[in-house]
């Protein structure tokens, strides 16, 4: 597996000798740890307390983009889903579906990115799987990760905790991830300022929960963006949500992409941003804690929860009119994560 | 989502309104349970003791086959990986990558199969994900499941426990799954007798471990078949393995497919068969326990462990010569699971 131009073959996914070679030369040199090295059908783990469990598949296109790649994304996404559940992420699985002919060099680059991101997030990849499909039956590589985290005692994160009067905090600039990918897909020259915000949020959420254990709910604003997250919470909690357009951090470059391509920044996917909803009396405390972490340095209170109209999200515009923020329908960006 | 001819669209995977519709009309009506219904980023679970964690992606072709389908397979495969680790399977994730244009009716059929198999195996689907890729960038549907099981106290399943003198037990007829799929792909008329052996093995493994807690190792013989499993164990345990051709249960129909298409039955994938290696003094006890369960009714002692030659597997043929059973290389069946 050392050749510059080596390609993945169907047999690499068939459970025999070539699959073992791939493990030994590409996967284990990067991801080795005592649990993974056992190469059991299942990894044996010690956990304490209640756990959180989540999964996502990653089909992002292009595979490599400013600020990240599918490997980094596949670790961050699952780490973040565990983090916003109030858990400390501990163990991840990684399963790849590779298209025949995929360059081994690209696979190595992705595996290295998985390793580096897992190290940054302090999680171990403990089990995995490799499948190979025929040329034209996939698209380079798809990655699934599932993750297990230990729920931090005393936390109770649920949208149904949300009640009127609570404040809504956003952890920073929105739309960077989707705007970056849209820019790359459309060949826009966006300059160095715009890159994906892809990052593991577990240090941020741990600090937030340590300072304010009674956070009602946290959600990372991935597919469907802030619009989807707030609509889901409004429906689940049977509340109204009102946010202020002027309070929402948006980079000029992201506004430019939205204007050019006709997207609503509130519907754009983020991969390193979260929404937290918290009792009003704790909002300033939480905000200052978040701003001390680089991942939350641009955090802002962007709105508040109302008793009504239930199940709806409103945006107070710069002109002080209010428009409804809908759940994104069909015209959002495919294969963004 | 009621129309007979409804197709999956890219927007069903984009995290917005259509994705929610798909959840509400196709997924939740079948899979609903209190944990899944929370629709959190992560499921919150109570587990006790040490846990096992595993993942596999399923890319089987065709999607529907005699004895099962990709939905049943995706539950059985992960349940079985947990079971042979010495765990009681408890919680599964399910993540689908669907090709644009896939019939919603087929998705419903698969989801129903997931439900029925999960119920039979006594596991809950607690978290999931849906991605949609463009036509020609996938192949109908791929499913990833990850699973969490509770390790049965007192068990210690590991290939490194295997030592010379131990007996090798196979739980029943081999090759049924791969031969069935090969038959369907090649349009062979195999009759009703041959179908996939796809089944959840957790009742069998629980009964085995209850009767004989000192089972050294168990492995389900999936991709690469009995040949791959025994080679992996021989290498990991630094032992020799010798099996008897005449002791290995193989159906006539499976022999026929192997003769016709040139496959070695030892390399064919199974989805409801396991190998157990056990101290010789416990072999007959274990065998009789296995035979009382329908999933092990044709179990047989097929060979034994030797101190040498280390890392090799030999087959004593009907003619009493010994041939080496290699780790399958490149010529095995793609997309068998």
């Amino acid at each position: 597996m050392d050749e510059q131009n080596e390609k993945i073959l169907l047999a690499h996914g068939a459970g025999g000798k070539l699959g073992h070679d791939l493990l030994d030369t590409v996967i284990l040199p990067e991801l080795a740890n005592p649990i993974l090295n056992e190469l059991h059908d299942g990894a044996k783990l010690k956990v304490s307390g209640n756990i959180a469990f989540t999964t996502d598949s990653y089909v992002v296109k292009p595979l490599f983009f400013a600020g990240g790649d599918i490997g980094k994304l596949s670790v961050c996404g699952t780490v973040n889903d565990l983090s916003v559940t109030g858990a400390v992420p501990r163990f991840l699985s990684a399963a790849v579906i590779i298209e025949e002919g995929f360059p081994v060099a690209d696979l190595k680059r992705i595996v290295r990115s998985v390793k580096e991101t897992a190290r940054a997030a302090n999680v171990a990849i403990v089990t995995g799987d490799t499948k190979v499909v025929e040329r034209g039956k996939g698209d380079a590589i798809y990655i699934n990760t599932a993750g297990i985290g230990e729920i931090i005692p005393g936390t109770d994160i649920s949208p149904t905790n949300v009640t009127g009067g609570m404040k809504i905090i956003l952890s920073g600039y929105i739309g960077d991830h989707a705007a970056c990918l849209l820019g790359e897909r459309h060949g826009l020259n966006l300059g160095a300022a715009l890159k994906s915000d892809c990052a593991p949020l577990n240090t941020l959420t741990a600090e937030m929960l340590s300072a304010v254990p009674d956070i009602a709910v946290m959600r990372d604003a991935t597919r469907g963006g802030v619009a989807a997250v707030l609509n889901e919470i409004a429906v689940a909690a049977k509340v109204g949500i009102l946010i202020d357009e002027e309070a929402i951090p948006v980079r000029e470059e992201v506004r430019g992409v939205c204007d050019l391509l006709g997207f609503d920044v509130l519907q754009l996917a983020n991969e390193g941003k979260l929404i937290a909803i918290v009792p009003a009396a704790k909002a300033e405390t939480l905000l200052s804690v978040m701003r001390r972490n680089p991942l939350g340095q641009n955090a802002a209170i962007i709105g508040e929860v109302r008793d009504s109209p239930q199940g709806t999200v409103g945006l107070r515009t710069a002109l002080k009119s209010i428009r409804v923020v809908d759940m994104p329908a069909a015209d959002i960006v495919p294969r963004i994560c």
Side-chain angles (χ1 to χ4, degrees), chain A:
Chain A
M1 302 298 291
D2 325 270
E3 301 298 326
Q4 190 71 23
N5 298 314
E6 193 144 12
K7 307 286 188 194
I8 293 292
L9 308 174
L10 274 178
H12 281 118
K17 190 166 178 328
L18 283 177
H20 281 262
D21 287 351
L22 194 69
L23 259 178
D24 290 341
T25 61
V26 177
I27 312 290
L28 290 179
E30 296 289 350
L31 300 183
N33 63 56
I35 301 171
L36 183 64
N37 295 358
E38 287 260 325
L39 295 179
H40 253 293
D41 285 318
K44 297 177 189 174
L45 310 174
K46 287 186 202 303
V47 291
S48 65
N50 292 335
I51 64 173
F53 181 36
T54 188
T55 189
D56 264 318
S57 296
Y58 300 86
V59 299
V60 68
K61 197 173 183 172
L63 295 180
F64 303 96
F65 47 83
D69 57 56
I70 191 170
K72 181 178 182 183
L73 189 66
S74 68
V75 174
C76 291
T78 292
V79 161
N80 292 347
D81 281 346
L82 294 171
S83 301
V84 297
T85 311
V88 176
R90 293 286 314 278
F91 304 108
L92 260 59
S93 65
V96 294
I97 298 176
I98 309 177
E99 186 186 11
E100 182 186 16
F102 186 64
V104 170
D106 284 355
L107 181 61
K108 286 184 175 173
R109 192 173 156 200
I110 290 166
V111 172
R112 195 165 308 123
S113 176
V114 165
K115 174 182 80 170
E116 287 164 3
T117 314
R119 184 177 290 167
N122 198 27
V123 295
I125 311 291
V126 294
T127 187
D129 179 50
T130 303
K131 293 289 191 303
V132 181
V133 295
E134 306 90 328
R135 206 179 284 266
K137 300 297 183 187
D139 194 8
I141 186 169
Y142 298 142
I143 304 182
N144 176 282
T145 54
I148 294 174
E150 293 171 336
I151 293 178
I152 299 170
T155 62
D156 173 28
I157 303 292
S158 170
T160 54
N161 293 334
V162 172
T163 56
M166 289 185 172
K167 295 292 184 186
I168 299 160
I169 304 182
L170 173 64
S171 66
Y173 287 102
I174 61 169
D176 293 10
H177 176 73
C180 165
L181 264 70
L182 283 167
E184 301 209 7
R185 285 187 201 168
H186 289 84
L188 308 180
N189 184 359
L190 299 168
L194 187 58
K195 57 182 187 182
S196 167
D197 59 348
C198 183
L201 293 173
N202 50 328
T203 59
L204 179 63
T205 55
E207 289 162 15
M208 290 166 66
L209 285 166
S210 173
V212 184
D214 49 346
I215 293 171
V217 73
M218 296 187 288
R219 291 288 304 276
D220 56 336
T222 57
R223 276 186 293 178
V226 168
V229 164
L230 293 181
N231 269 284
E232 285 168 12
I233 293 172
V235 169
K238 301 190 178 70
V239 296
I241 284 178
L242 185 63
I243 55 176
D244 279 307
E245 187 168 36
E246 292 187 300
I248 299 169
V250 182
R251 293 182 204 279
E252 274 314 305
E253 298 85 348
V254 173
R255 271 192 216 287
V257 171
C258 285
D259 290 347
L260 197 64
L261 300 175
F263 286 98
D264 177 354
V265 70
L266 291 174
Q267 298 190 353
L268 289 191
N270 311 276
E271 291 295 339
K273 295 295 158 12
L274 60 79
I275 291 277
I277 302 186
V278 68
K282 306 291 181 67
E284 289 296 337
T285 303
L286 186 59
L287 188 64
S288 65
V289 167
M290 291 173 72
R291 285 182 172 166
R292 283 200 292 270
N293 187 312
L295 295 166
Q297 61 183 326
N298 300 302
I301 296 174
I302 63 162
E304 63 179 16
V305 180
R306 304 280 178 99
D307 292 327
S308 65
Q310 291 184 2
T312 69
V313 180
L315 178 77
R316 189 187 289 119
T317 68
L319 302 173
K320 306 300 171 203
S321 66
I322 291 180
R323 77 163 172 90
V324 171
V325 178
D326 280 321
M327 173 65 76
D331 54 346
I332 40 182
V333 191
R335 297 187 57 185
I336 202 68
C337 64

